[in-house]
Amino acid sequence: MCGILFHCSATPCTPEAWDSLAEINTHRGPDAQQTQRLQVANQHLQFFSSVLHLRGPDTVAQPLCSQGNVLCFNGEIFSGLPMTLQQNDTEVLLHEIQLHGVLETFAKAEGPYAFVYYEAQTQSLWYGRDCLGRRSLLIDDSDGLWLSSVADPQRAWRELPADGIYQLCLADPNNLTTTHKHTWGDALPAPFPRLNATLPDTIDDEQHEQALTGLMQVLEEAVRLRVQDIPHHTKAETDDVRVAILFSGGVDCITLAALAHRHLPPDEPVDLLNVAFDNPRTGTTSFDTPDRRTGRASLRELQEQCPRPWRFVEINVPFSEAQEHRQTIIDRMYPLDTVMDLSIAMALWFAARGQGSLNDTPYISRARVLISGLGADEQLGGYSRHREAFRHGGWTRLVEETQLDVDRISTRNLGRDDRIISDHGKEARFPFLSTHVITYLCGLPIGLKMDMTLERGVGEKRLLRRLAHRLGLVEASQQWKRAIQFGAKTAKMTGATRAEKGQHKLSSA
């Protein structure tokens, strides 16, 4: 995980504008910070990166500079490029770009990323996000060109679309207004196919078993790549927690926990982060929320099936503390600014902070990698709108709704979640959003993934429930879907009135 800050204009930016943005980007990468300045034609280029060391044996400061080229990279390359566990992926990435070019390299790289790259040979600036938008990159081009992983509300920032890789040629100082976009599915190969639109006819047990075995293989590999090589950051490795799981107790997160268990040393602790809010608007003053109850129940089942030191971290957030940090959270999720954004961001910000209790003793999770189940609902029919689509239009309408969900993953909330979680020097990783997992699930007929003719808690995410059952997680395989703002009780803690809805702007609250 890194923070990226970049500015390009005919005149250097003021220290005041630059320093405040560099400071908040430093939260993302406390291990190293560095600045690089260039002048190209009549343009002043300034690069800044902060680094959170999560790959390779040593911290590698950025921006990386070689042969006049400059790279700021925020992300992880899990596959697609030739690298070993002992290599830093940013160094490998720069080598591959210089050898094969920007587009060919990123067409092969699998993983979440955002980047800014100056190519000296062509005097071009390249920048972009991965095809799913798993890492934040904001843009403001009203006064020169600004790019930043996270921002303050002092400028007119917007999220850079995750629809391709952008190229700005600096060789012609009189024509700096034209940016060329190399689009996914056009100049760049589409990273995964359209959904298999085959409608259910007769699906036998063998087909179900083949689909289940395939999901097991591809999802376990995605988890393995995301937990296996995280460096230790304390001398006492047996007590050095490297991995935490955002843990509501639902089928998504407990399945990922069980798969992670297979690829970590058996005596290594894993933190299960379970957040609950004291929300006066719910009429209760306790932290006995739905997610707390399901979390505890799933913990017991996880301990039985996958014995290891699971640390169930109860993160209890009093209303007063939530209000104390409210403005910070609003600033970090910017430019998103709705009531629902704040409800979700608040839950994620406190969960990522990791400050809670373990067996009634104060405890702070130091794990730098947070595993999230995001992406399962979109692909496997986990939302109530999937059941409604089936009710109104049968299997055909359900395929259309699921395709819509997959199509808009990159335009929804991943940038916001990245900005929120990384504010604590943590990194979220999403196994269900591995492009290999998405490719596999897109290829399956809809009837193998979900079945809305079955009751709630059975039909939605049916394939994943069967996987959890195979792993011995019988009770967890029957858990219903709850959005985080309702499971943790952050809904309506934003200062909004009862008449306001999640899509309303905070400015109207």
Side-chain angles (χ1 to χ4, degrees), residues 74-328:
N74 168 31
E76 312 286 348
I77 304 299
F78 291 118
S79 63
L81 299 183
M83 60 182 297
T84 69
L85 296 182
Q86 296 305 308
Q87 290 178 293
N88 178 270
D89 50 3
T90 307
E91 292 178 321
V92 172
L93 181 66
L94 180 57
H95 173 76
E96 290 293 309
I97 290 174
Q98 293 179 152
L99 192 62
H100 300 292
V102 174
L103 297 182
E104 183 176 343
T105 299
F106 280 105
K108 296 184 296 184
E110 198 288 312
Y113 61 79
F115 77 97
V116 177
Y117 175 66
Y118 172 69
E119 186 176 46
Q121 183 177 2
T122 62
Q123 292 188 307
S124 289
L125 183 76
W126 302 79
Y127 54 95
R129 303 165 69 196
D130 72 82
C131 61
L132 293 169
R134 288 167 285 185
R135 293 291 175 260
S136 172
L137 192 62
L138 306 176
I139 182 171
D140 173 21
D141 52 9
S142 60
D143 174 22
L145 175 64
W146 289 85
L147 297 163
S148 183
S149 298
V150 64
D152 56 35
Q154 305 307 311
R155 307 190 64 84
W157 297 98
R158 64 186 188 277
E159 292 198 269
L160 182 73
D163 55 358
I165 290 177
Y166 293 76
Q167 180 183 10
L168 176 63
C169 181
L170 302 176
D172 182 2
N174 298 314
N175 187 25
L176 294 176
T177 60
T178 302
T179 302
H180 183 68
K181 179 171 64 176
H182 304 272
T183 307
W184 294 106
D186 185 9
L188 292 159
F192 43 83
R194 305 285 292 175
L195 260 66
N196 184 334
T198 303
L199 302 182
D201 185 9
T202 300
I203 302 176
D204 58 36
D205 290 343
E206 183 179 356
Q207 289 173 294
H208 278 295
E209 284 303 308
Q210 289 176 347
L212 180 58
T213 299
L215 177 59
M216 177 77 165
Q217 291 173 346
V218 71
L219 185 59
E220 182 174 357
E221 176 65 5
V223 172
R224 181 186 71 82
L225 289 170
R226 285 157 178 78
V227 304
Q228 69 173 352
D229 62 345
I230 304 165
H232 290 275
H233 287 90
T234 70
K235 295 181 180 179
E237 292 189 0
T238 58
D239 198 43
D240 181 18
V241 181
R242 297 181 295 163
V243 176
I245 296 172
L246 298 174
F247 195 77
S248 65
V251 64
D252 310 344
C253 59
I254 196 172
T255 300
L256 296 180
L259 294 177
H261 170 72
R262 298 179 170 211
H263 299 285
L264 291 168
D267 58 346
E268 181 174 316
V270 173
D271 287 344
L272 306 176
L273 306 178
N274 184 279
V275 64
F277 287 75
D278 173 17
N279 187 343
R281 298 192 182 205
T282 66
T284 178
T285 57
S286 78
F287 298 105
D288 187 31
T289 61
D291 279 1
R292 180 59 50 78
R293 293 191 291 273
T294 57
R296 286 171 174 161
S298 292
L299 170 65
R300 291 190 292 271
E301 194 168 32
L302 191 60
Q303 288 171 327
E304 292 172 2
Q305 299 299 323
C306 307
R308 75 160 51 245
W310 299 105
R311 294 181 172 179
F312 187 71
V313 185
E314 297 189 2
I315 300 170
N316 296 333
V317 185
F319 181 77
S320 59
E321 188 174 8
Q323 295 308 298
E324 177 186 351
H325 295 283
R326 181 178 185 271
Q327 189 58 50
T328 295

Side-chain angles (χ1 to χ4, degrees), residues 418-433:
D418 176 63
R419 294 190 293 277
I420 288 293
I421 290 172
S422 64
D423 196 45
H424 301 289
K426 309 288 180 73
E427 175 177 286
R429 294 183 178 177
F430 310 100
F432 286 106
L433 294 182

